[in-house]
Amino acid sequence: MAKPNQHTHIVHTQFKAVWPVSPRDIITRSVWEQDLKTKVLTLDVTDMGQHYAENQGYVRMQYVSGQWTLTPLPEGQLHIAYQGQADPAGRLPRFLSHSVALKAILNTFEKLPKVLRNYQQAYPNIIE
């Protein structure tokens, strides 16, 4: 969607769903930061959905927040941690929303090696 500065991205994500769940979408701001001493990289994600019109056919998720932490380890290894939350909005039983959320997180982590490989790029003022 937008890139307000070199370390910030506005991202619109749409999620397909299986019956009886309606498709969802979120709009977030992602900000990269790095501790120059430890080289730990963080990506803070905050909800921006309230600033954009809703898309027809999608339920806008609310109260979205998260943080990715990438910690360099010896021998080129990388420890990746994620913590986040979101309200799926709409009328969903809790067991169903939890199940969908866990599947989405698992899918994300399974695809991370390919994504990281395809999107490696230099960010100014971030150690490589």
Side-chain angles (χ1 to χ4, degrees), residues 1 7 12 19 24 34-35 51 56 60 67 74-76 80 93 98-99 108 118 122 124:
M1 286 186 82
H7 296 137
H12 181 215
W19 183 90
R24 300 292 199 267
Q34 187 171 40
D35 182 306
H51 301 290
Q56 188 173 4
R60 176 69 44 86
Q67 183 178 68
E75 300 180 22
I80 300 174
H98 287 185
S99 174
T108 298
N118 290 343

Side-chain angles (χ1 to χ4, degrees), residues 12 14 25 27 52-60:
H12 181 215
Q14 295 176 321
D25 76 339
I27 299 177
Y52 295 88
E54 292 188 19
N55 291 330
Q56 188 173 4
Y58 288 86
V59 175
R60 176 69 44 86

Side-chain angles (χ1 to χ4, degrees), residues 5-26:
N5 65 50
Q6 61 188 356
H7 296 137
T8 304
H9 302 272
I10 305 296
V11 180
H12 181 215
T13 306
Q14 295 176 321
F15 301 93
K16 294 180 183 177
V18 294
W19 183 90
V21 179
S22 300
R24 300 292 199 267
D25 76 339
I26 59 175

Side-chain angles (χ1 to χ4, degrees), residues 44-121:
D44 286 311
V45 179
T46 55
D47 193 348
M48 295 293 289
Q50 67 277 18
H51 301 290
Y52 295 88
E54 292 188 19
N55 291 330
Q56 188 173 4
Y58 288 86
V59 175
R60 176 69 44 86
M61 294 175 63
Q62 303 170 359
Y63 311 112
V64 179
S65 66
Q67 183 178 68
W68 291 87
T69 305
L70 290 75
T71 306
L73 300 174
E75 300 180 22
Q77 298 279 323
L78 182 64
H79 178 264
I80 300 174
Y82 171 74
Q83 183 174 2
Q85 66 180 24
D87 176 353
R91 300 180 68 169
L92 286 177
R94 186 170 291 192
F95 80 90
L96 187 57
S97 65
H98 287 185
S99 174
V100 170
L102 288 173
K103 285 179 185 176
I105 292 167
L106 178 60
N107 186 40
T108 298
F109 272 94
E110 287 175 342
K111 292 181 179 180
L112 265 180
K114 181 179 180 186
V115 170
L116 289 174
R117 194 169 40 251
N118 290 343
Y119 288 92
Q120 289 182 3
Q121 59 182 318

